[in-house]
Amino acid sequence: MSSSKEIIQNNLDYTLFSWSKQKGINPIAIKEAKGVYLYDYDGQKYIDFSSGLMNVNIGHGNQRVTDAVVKQMQQVAYVTPSCVTEVRGELGKKIASIAPKGLTKTLFTVCGATAIDNAIKLARLYTGRHKIITKYRAFHGASYAAMSAGGDPRKLAADSQQAPNFVHVEDPFCYRCPFGQTFGNCKYECVSHIERVIEFEGPQNVAAILMEGESGSSGCIKYPKDYFTKLRAICDKHGILLIIDEVMSGWGRTGKWFGIDNHDVIPDMIATAKGITSGYIPFGALIVSENISKHYDDNILWLGLTYSAHAVGCAAALETLKIYEDENLIENAANMGMYIDEQVELLKAKHPCIGDWRNTGLLGCLEIVKNKVTKEPMAPFNAKPNEMEIMNKVAAKIKELGMYTFVRWNYVFIAPPLCINKTEIDEGLAIISEALKIADEHYQAN
Ligand SMILES: Cc1ncc(COP(=O)(O)O)c(C=O)c1O
């Protein structure tokens, strides 16, 4: 058995790490994981407060998924997408029973980006239009189309390579309203802005509006009440499709099956991945409305992947969906989310640096500021390494105290697995509270 040092060194010497300079990386070597905990080779335990990449929704080490995967592999691991398996049909049927009304057919993909890419392609093929409207702060994946669709600054290094015909709009970011308004007194300038952009771009050219069901890595920017109803009306007026990215916000993460279920709106397509298998196997899905699927009864569907509807992925997904139900995980996400909301209120009283807390179910994020009135962030949007000094210290403290979670710019994410209980939440929040003392020292009172 290799030592922890050897394992890390092999990884550093022979593998590449995403979104990082390759020198100076200090990864945790994970030996095993169970429930909400990760364990390294030196016996250190970490509470996983971001569910991996907000994907391990059912928690780590669930034997039922392993058993379902092994059973499927023993029967048949791979068939071409033109052959069928029992599990593919069963999974499709199960998703149709869970998805918003009328979204009844699914194309299975291999990850989130392939679900998004296929959604974009299908929207263009189906409508015969080419433009896709998306938000500046969204992340939709790192493939060319998904990257270009997102506005996340991770794409800026490859700016010249962006795919064409994506038009970006401002997020409805009430804490930092780009239109200088306050919710309650505003006239939904975030929506009228989109209407104007559509007019400028030519509604007849716009195939779809693509948005996350709930925002995630951009800082859990919550959609204001009625935002999606207004957007749906605009889409209907102009024959524009509404595509919802449920890669991160799907599968119980927000206390409902899908993030969009919190908004009383039926989209035309849902692109999803992550929680569909809780990360046990890479897998994704594009769920489409009957209007769209019926069109392809008599027209060729020009989409395809070698690993579409991979039998083992389907088996992992079907078992994962049953686990959500059998273990009441979605209800638990809603309840534990409310518990975290209450506890964060107490933390706010203790830590002046908490500027905002935005959460839906278990998709939450603390926004850390230098001053509550000016809202100056502790690290700016797209912070450079030298602007991350304080937040890096906060992140290092979180890790030292035995937690794995995301600290990005001035955001600290709280998005644990859906199986978490109150004791584990208390343990995690105590770690965050301790680490926030570092940020408090840099708070500049008026
Ligand atoms: C909202 C959202 N969409 C799409 C993706 C891309 O998914 P994947 O990394 O599986 O390609 C991500 C990944 O983090 C995401 O958060």
Side-chain angles (χ1 to χ4, degrees), residues 292-353:
I292 296 174
S293 65
K294 282 214 166 80
H295 174 79
Y296 290 97
D297 285 347
D298 299 309
N299 291 284
I300 295 172
L301 183 69
W302 291 107
L303 305 175
L305 295 159
T306 300
Y307 297 121
S308 177
H310 194 285
V312 180
C314 287
L318 188 60
E319 196 59 28
T320 301
L321 302 196
K322 287 182 189 160
I323 292 168
Y324 285 122
E325 289 177 330
D326 294 348
E327 298 185 9
N328 291 322
L329 293 181
I330 299 179
E331 201 186 333
N332 194 55
N335 290 335
M336 291 304 106
M338 284 189 274
Y339 179 68
I340 294 178
D341 288 345
E342 286 164 22
Q343 297 307 305
V344 169
E345 276 312 307
L346 303 178
L347 283 187
K348 273 185 180 169
K350 260 168 92 177
H351 297 287
C353 69

Side-chain angles (χ1 to χ4, degrees), residues 16 45 65 92 117 129 143 145 184 197 209 223 274 284 315 372 375 379 381 388 402 423 429 433:
L16 290 166
K45 176 171 139 180
V65 186
D117 280 5
R129 304 174 180 184
S143 64
V197 169
I209 296 179
Y223 295 103
K274 292 196 192 258
K372 276 200 173 97
K375 300 182 183 174
F381 172 81
M388 281 300 293
T423 312
L429 291 181
S433 177

Side-chain angles (χ1 to χ4, degrees), residues 53 111-114 116 139-142 212 217 245 247-248 273-274:
L53 284 173
C111 62
T114 44
I116 293 287
F139 179 73
H140 294 295
E212 312 106 310
S217 55
D245 178 341
V247 173
M248 190 179 280
K274 292 196 192 258

Side-chain angles (χ1 to χ4, degrees), residues 195-211:
E195 265 185 306
R196 270 196 312 282
V197 169
I198 290 172
E199 288 305 330
F200 288 136
E201 297 292 337
Q204 72 283 4
N205 294 327
V206 181
I209 296 179
L210 162 64
M211 296 206 175

